[in-house]
Amino acid sequence: MEYDLVIIGGGPAGLTAGLYGARGGLKTLMVEMGMPGGQAANTDIIENYPGFPDGISGPELMQKFMEQAMRFDLEIAMGLVKEVDLKSDPKRVITDEGQYLAKTIIIASGARPRKLGVPGEEKFTGAGVSYCAVCDGAFFRNKKVVVVGGGDSALEEGIFLTKYASEVLIMHRREEFRAANVYQNRARENPKISFRLNSVIEEIVGQNKVEKIRYKNVQTGEISEEAVDGVFIFIGTEPNTEFLGGQVTMDERGYIITNDVMGCSLPGVFAAGDVRQKTLRQVSTAVGDGAVAAMSAERYLIESEQRG
Ligand code: NAP
């Protein structure tokens, strides 16, 4: 079976591309490795997506995205994309579940949490170390957790964790936060939150679960220990682009470089959302990318047909 359009990834960008593609009459398939919704589905509350003046929970918003795309007969296949051939005609997408052929492809595979890379991190993942406050926060009711990072995610998720935890320590490697002022102010006003600046975790320590962290003050070099029950790591993201095998042009961090109509370095291949090199990674910008990418795929198909 050959599709007009195969979309890799089912986050906000992929679901929007799916909505536009299917609604535009393209035979469209979206391939997703887990539950659609991407990282947005792991966000407690999204306050800056227009149309929801009181905010909306990430899972609920993503459910609505999916319902809307399915209304226009977007096909969805589960599967982890292992390999692609973007130069063949038709193009091929190979997953652990099967192979799909496509005239055009939109890469919307998003990004994943970056790892700290310290001893104990891997060992205690799922036993006190987490990258998702919405998923794991409730395990830390009346407990003390440390949140690592200084961006929007660290502060926003740190504030969210105060719903459950008795104490949230935000540890950042610098003096200044990268996060928007609105989150910085809210965190400072929250009595459950305290800060440990200019500090980096050296080791996460415990027997069967996290019991403490060993950390360093980067200005003085002093090493200290702090007893904690959980370590939440929000130090940015890395793009999910390994399966591309370098077939499209990426920047030095692996984000895909596109033009202003989401075109990649190969004809008929487009990218949308967090996987793309861009300055603002939000649901609202992913939606715009997804819409533009789908329209570009449609235009490419029309032009290919005209060329014969
Ligand atoms: P980010 O903005 O890249 O921030 C990552 C933070 O982690 C930075 O403070 C960085 O420190 C720190 N960091 C990086 N590597 C580290 C390491 N090895 N050890 C210790 N600290 C490290 O990532 P993010 O907060 O996940 O946000 C990602 C994107 O999503 C951003 O564009 C953000 O604006 C967006 N976002 C938006 C919202 C919202 O608008 N509601 C919510 C969440 C995320 P330095 O500052 O020293 O580099």
Coordinates of all heavy atoms in Angstrom, one line a residue, residues 38-93:
G38 N 2.9 13.0 22.2 CA 4.3 13.4 22.4 C 4.5 13.9 23.8 O 3.8 13.6 24.7
Q39 N 5.5 14.8 23.9 CA 5.9 15.4 25.2 C 4.8 16.2 25.8 O 4.7 16.3 27.0 CB 7.1 16.2 25.0 CG 8.4 15.5 24.6 CD 9.6 16.3 24.7 OE1 10.4 16.2 25.6 NE2 9.8 17.2 23.7
A40 N 3.9 16.8 24.9 CA 2.8 17.6 25.4 C 1.9 16.8 26.3 O 1.3 17.3 27.3 CB 2.1 18.3 24.3
A41 N 1.8 15.5 26.0 CA 0.9 14.7 26.8 C 1.4 14.4 28.2 O 0.7 13.9 29.0 CB 0.6 13.3 26.0
N42 N 2.7 14.7 28.4 CA 3.3 14.6 29.7 C 3.3 15.9 30.5 O 4.0 16.0 31.5 CB 4.7 14.1 29.6 CG 4.8 12.6 29.1 OD1 3.8 11.9 29.2 ND2 5.9 12.3 28.5
T43 N 2.6 16.8 30.0 CA 2.6 18.2 30.7 C 1.3 18.3 31.4 O 0.2 18.0 30.9 CB 2.7 19.3 29.6 OG1 3.9 19.0 28.8 CG2 2.8 20.6 30.2
D44 N 1.4 18.7 32.7 CA 0.3 18.9 33.5 C -0.7 19.9 33.0 O -1.9 19.5 32.6 CB 0.7 19.3 34.9 CG -0.4 19.7 35.8 OD1 -1.4 19.0 35.8 OD2 -0.3 20.7 36.5
I45 N -0.3 21.1 32.8 CA -1.2 22.1 32.3 C -0.5 23.0 31.3 O 0.6 23.4 31.5 CB -1.8 23.0 33.5 CG1 -2.8 24.0 33.0 CG2 -0.7 23.6 34.3 CD1 -4.2 23.8 33.6
I46 N -1.2 23.2 30.2 CA -0.7 24.1 29.1 C -1.4 25.4 29.2 O -2.6 25.4 29.0 CB -0.8 23.4 27.8 CG1 0.1 22.1 27.8 CG2 -0.3 24.3 26.6 CD1 0.1 21.2 26.6
E47 N -0.7 26.4 29.5 CA -1.4 27.7 29.7 C -1.2 28.7 28.6 O -1.8 29.7 28.5 CB -0.7 28.4 31.0 CG -1.1 27.8 32.3 CD -0.6 28.5 33.4 OE1 0.5 29.2 33.3 OE2 -1.2 28.5 34.5
N48 N -0.3 28.3 27.6 CA 0.0 29.3 26.5 C -0.5 28.7 25.2 O 0.1 29.2 24.2 CB 1.4 29.7 26.6 CG 2.4 28.5 26.5 OD1 1.9 27.3 26.5 ND2 3.7 28.7 26.6
Y49 N -1.4 27.8 25.1 CA -2.0 27.4 23.8 C -3.3 28.2 23.7 O -4.2 28.0 24.5 CB -2.2 25.9 23.8 CG -2.6 25.5 22.4 CD1 -1.7 25.6 21.4 CD2 -3.9 25.1 22.1 CE1 -2.0 25.2 20.1 CE2 -4.2 24.8 20.8 CZ -3.3 24.8 19.8 OH -3.7 24.5 18.5
P50 N -3.4 29.1 22.7 CA -4.6 29.9 22.6 C -5.9 29.2 22.5 O -5.9 28.1 21.9 CB -4.3 30.8 21.3 CG -2.8 30.7 21.1 CD -2.4 29.4 21.7
G51 N -6.9 29.8 23.0 CA -8.2 29.1 22.9 C -8.7 28.5 24.2 O -9.8 28.1 24.3
F52 N -7.8 28.4 25.1 CA -8.1 27.8 26.4 C -7.7 28.8 27.5 O -6.6 28.7 28.1 CB -7.4 26.4 26.6 CG -7.8 25.5 25.5 CD1 -7.1 25.3 24.3 CD2 -9.0 24.7 25.7 CE1 -7.5 24.5 23.4 CE2 -9.4 23.8 24.7 CZ -8.6 23.7 23.5
P53 N -8.5 29.8 27.8 CA -8.1 30.9 28.6 C -7.8 30.4 30.1 O -7.0 31.1 30.8 CB -9.3 31.8 28.6 CG -10.4 31.1 28.0 CD -9.9 30.0 27.2
D54 N -8.3 29.3 30.5 CA -8.0 28.8 31.8 C -6.9 27.7 31.8 O -6.7 27.1 32.8 CB -9.3 28.2 32.5 CG -10.4 29.2 32.6 OD1 -10.0 30.4 32.9 OD2 -11.5 28.9 32.4
G55 N -6.3 27.6 30.7 CA -5.3 26.5 30.5 C -6.0 25.2 30.3 O -7.3 25.1 30.4
I56 N -5.3 24.2 29.8 CA -5.9 22.8 29.6 C -4.8 21.8 29.9 O -3.6 22.1 29.7 CB -6.4 22.7 28.1 CG1 -7.0 21.3 27.9 CG2 -5.4 23.0 27.1 CD1 -7.9 21.2 26.6
S57 N -5.2 20.6 30.4 CA -4.2 19.6 30.7 C -3.6 19.1 29.4 O -4.3 19.0 28.4 CB -4.8 18.5 31.5 OG -5.4 17.5 30.7
G58 N -2.3 18.8 29.4 CA -1.7 18.3 28.2 C -2.4 17.0 27.6 O -2.7 17.0 26.4
P59 N -2.7 16.0 28.4 CA -3.3 14.8 27.9 C -4.7 15.2 27.2 O -5.0 14.6 26.2 CB -3.5 13.9 29.1 CG -2.5 14.3 30.1 CD -2.2 15.8 29.8
E60 N -5.4 16.1 27.9 CA -6.8 16.4 27.3 C -6.6 17.2 26.0 O -7.4 16.9 25.0 CB -7.5 17.3 28.3 CG -9.0 17.4 28.1 CD -9.6 18.4 29.1 OE1 -9.1 18.7 30.1 OE2 -10.7 18.9 28.7
L61 N -5.7 18.1 25.9 CA -5.5 18.8 24.6 C -5.1 17.8 23.5 O -5.6 17.9 22.4 CB -4.4 19.9 24.8 CG -4.2 20.8 23.6 CD1 -5.4 21.5 23.2 CD2 -3.0 21.8 23.8
M62 N -4.2 16.9 23.9 CA -3.7 16.0 22.8 C -4.8 15.0 22.4 O -4.9 14.6 21.3 CB -2.5 15.2 23.4 CG -1.2 16.1 23.4 SD -0.9 16.9 21.8 CE -1.5 18.5 22.1
Q63 N -5.7 14.7 23.3 CA -6.8 13.8 23.0 C -7.7 14.5 22.0 O -8.2 14.0 21.0 CB -7.6 13.5 24.3 CG -8.8 12.6 24.1 CD -8.5 11.2 23.6 OE1 -7.4 10.7 23.8 NE2 -9.4 10.7 22.8
K64 N -7.9 15.8 22.2 CA -8.7 16.6 21.3 C -8.1 16.7 19.9 O -8.7 16.6 18.9 CB -8.9 18.1 21.8 CG -9.9 18.1 23.0 CD -10.0 19.6 23.5 CE -10.9 19.7 24.7 NZ -12.3 19.4 24.6
F65 N -6.7 16.9 19.9 CA -6.0 16.9 18.6 C -6.3 15.6 17.9 O -6.5 15.6 16.7 CB -4.5 17.0 18.9 CG -3.9 18.4 19.0 CD1 -4.6 19.4 19.7 CD2 -2.8 18.8 18.3 CE1 -4.0 20.7 19.9 CE2 -2.2 20.0 18.4 CZ -2.9 21.0 19.2
M66 N -6.2 14.5 18.6 CA -6.3 13.2 18.0 C -7.8 13.0 17.4 O -7.9 12.6 16.3 CB -6.0 12.1 18.9 CG -5.8 10.8 18.3 SD -4.7 9.8 19.1 CE -5.8 8.5 19.6
E67 N -8.8 13.3 18.3 CA -10.1 13.2 17.8 C -10.4 14.0 16.5 O -11.1 13.5 15.6 CB -11.1 13.7 18.9 CG -11.3 12.7 20.0 CD -12.0 13.3 21.2 OE1 -12.7 14.3 21.1 OE2 -11.8 12.7 22.3
Q68 N -9.8 15.2 16.5 CA -10.1 16.0 15.3 C -9.4 15.5 14.1 O -10.0 15.4 13.0 CB -9.5 17.4 15.6 CG -10.1 18.5 14.7 CD -9.7 19.9 15.2 OE1 -9.2 20.1 16.3 NE2 -10.0 20.9 14.3
A69 N -8.2 14.9 14.2 CA -7.5 14.3 13.1 C -8.2 13.1 12.6 O -8.4 12.8 11.4 CB -6.1 14.0 13.4
M70 N -8.7 12.3 13.6 CA -9.4 11.0 13.2 C -10.7 11.3 12.5 O -11.2 10.5 11.7 CB -9.7 10.2 14.5 CG -8.4 9.9 15.3 SD -7.6 8.4 15.0 CE -8.7 7.1 15.4
R71 N -11.3 12.4 12.8 CA -12.6 12.8 12.1 C -12.4 12.8 10.6 O -13.4 12.7 9.9 CB -13.0 14.1 12.7 CG -14.5 14.2 13.0 CD -14.8 15.7 13.4 NE -15.3 16.4 12.3 CZ -15.4 17.7 12.2 NH1 -14.9 18.5 13.2 NH2 -15.8 18.4 11.2
F72 N -11.2 13.1 10.2 CA -10.9 13.3 8.8 C -10.2 12.1 8.2 O -9.5 12.1 7.2 CB -10.1 14.6 8.5 CG -10.9 15.8 8.9 CD1 -10.6 16.5 10.0 CD2 -12.0 16.2 8.1 CE1 -11.4 17.6 10.4 CE2 -12.7 17.3 8.4 CZ -12.4 18.0 9.6
D73 N -10.4 10.9 8.9 CA -9.9 9.6 8.5 C -8.3 9.6 8.4 O -7.8 8.9 7.5 CB -10.5 9.3 7.1 CG -12.0 9.1 7.2 OD1 -12.4 8.7 8.3 OD2 -12.7 9.4 6.2
L74 N -7.7 10.2 9.3 CA -6.2 10.0 9.4 C -6.0 8.5 9.9 O -6.6 8.1 10.8 CB -5.6 10.9 10.5 CG -4.2 10.6 10.8 CD1 -3.2 10.9 9.7 CD2 -3.8 11.4 12.1
E75 N -5.2 7.8 9.2 CA -4.8 6.4 9.6 C -3.7 6.5 10.6 O -2.8 7.3 10.4 CB -4.4 5.6 8.4 CG -5.5 5.0 7.6 CD -5.0 4.0 6.5 OE1 -4.2 3.1 6.8 OE2 -5.4 4.3 5.4
I76 N -3.7 5.7 11.6 CA -2.6 5.7 12.6 C -2.1 4.3 12.7 O -2.9 3.3 12.8 CB -3.1 6.2 14.0 CG1 -3.6 7.6 13.9 CG2 -2.0 6.1 15.0 CD1 -4.1 8.3 15.1
A77 N -0.8 4.1 12.6 CA -0.1 2.8 12.8 C 0.8 2.9 14.0 O 1.5 3.9 14.1 CB 0.6 2.4 11.6
M78 N 0.8 1.9 14.8 CA 1.8 1.8 16.0 C 3.1 1.2 15.4 O 3.0 0.3 14.6 CB 1.2 0.9 17.1 CG 0.0 1.4 17.8 SD 0.5 2.8 18.9 CE 1.0 1.8 20.3
G79 N 4.2 1.7 15.9 CA 5.4 1.1 15.5 C 6.6 2.1 15.8 O 6.4 3.3 15.7
L80 N 7.7 1.5 16.1 CA 8.9 2.3 16.3 C 9.7 2.4 15.0 O 10.0 1.3 14.4 CB 9.8 1.7 17.4 CG 11.1 2.3 17.7 CD1 10.9 3.7 18.3 CD2 11.9 1.4 18.6
V81 N 9.9 3.5 14.4 CA 10.6 3.6 13.1 C 12.1 3.3 13.3 O 12.7 3.9 14.2 CB 10.4 5.0 12.5 CG1 11.2 5.1 11.2 CG2 8.9 5.3 12.2
K82 N 12.5 2.3 12.6 CA 13.9 1.8 12.7 C 14.8 2.4 11.6 O 16.0 2.6 11.8 CB 14.0 0.3 12.6 CG 13.2 -0.5 13.6 CD 14.0 -0.6 14.8 CE 13.5 -1.6 15.8 NZ 14.0 -1.4 17.1
E83 N 14.2 2.6 10.5 CA 15.0 3.0 9.3 C 14.1 3.7 8.3 O 12.9 3.4 8.2 CB 15.5 1.7 8.7 CG 16.8 1.8 7.9 CD 17.2 0.4 7.4 OE1 17.0 -0.6 8.1 OE2 17.5 0.4 6.2
V84 N 14.6 4.5 7.5 CA 13.9 5.1 6.4 C 14.7 5.1 5.1 O 16.0 5.2 5.2 CB 13.4 6.6 6.7 CG1 12.3 6.6 7.7 CG2 14.6 7.4 7.1
D85 N 14.1 5.1 4.0 CA 14.8 5.3 2.7 C 14.1 6.5 2.1 O 13.0 6.4 1.5 CB 14.8 4.1 1.8 CG 15.6 4.3 0.6 OD1 16.1 5.4 0.4 OD2 15.9 3.3 -0.1
L86 N 14.7 7.7 2.1 CA 14.0 8.9 1.7 C 14.4 9.3 0.3 O 13.9 10.2 -0.3 CB 14.5 10.1 2.6 CG 14.2 9.9 4.1 CD1 14.7 11.0 4.9 CD2 12.7 9.7 4.3
K87 N 15.3 8.5 -0.3 CA 15.8 8.8 -1.7 C 15.1 7.9 -2.7 O 15.1 8.2 -3.9 CB 17.3 8.7 -1.8 CG 18.0 9.7 -1.0 CD 19.5 9.6 -0.9 CE 20.1 10.6 0.0 NZ 21.4 10.2 0.5
S88 N 14.5 6.8 -2.3 CA 13.9 5.9 -3.2 C 12.5 6.5 -3.7 O 12.0 7.4 -3.1 CB 13.7 4.5 -2.6 OG 12.9 4.6 -1.4
D89 N 11.9 5.9 -4.7 CA 10.6 6.3 -5.2 C 9.8 5.0 -5.3 O 10.0 4.3 -6.3 CB 10.8 7.0 -6.5 CG 9.5 7.6 -7.0 OD1 8.5 7.7 -6.2 OD2 9.3 7.9 -8.2
P90 N 8.7 4.8 -4.5 CA 8.3 5.6 -3.4 C 9.3 5.5 -2.2 O 10.2 4.6 -2.2 CB 7.0 5.0 -3.0 CG 7.1 3.6 -3.4 CD 7.9 3.6 -4.7
K91 N 9.2 6.5 -1.3 CA 10.0 6.5 -0.1 C 9.6 5.4 0.8 O 8.4 5.0 0.8 CB 9.9 7.8 0.6 CG 10.3 9.0 -0.4 CD 10.1 10.3 0.3 CE 10.0 11.4 -0.8 NZ 11.1 11.4 -1.7
R92 N 10.5 4.9 1.7 CA 10.1 3.8 2.6 C 10.3 4.1 4.0 O 11.3 4.7 4.4 CB 10.9 2.5 2.2 CG 10.6 1.9 0.9 CD 11.2 0.6 0.7 NE 12.7 0.7 1.0 CZ 13.4 -0.3 1.5 NH1 12.8 -1.4 1.9 NH2 14.7 -0.2 1.7
V93 N 9.3 3.7 4.9 CA 9.5 3.9 6.3 C 9.4 2.5 6.9 O 8.4 1.8 6.7 CB 8.3 4.7 6.9 CG1 8.4 4.8 8.4 CG2 8.4 6.1 6.3

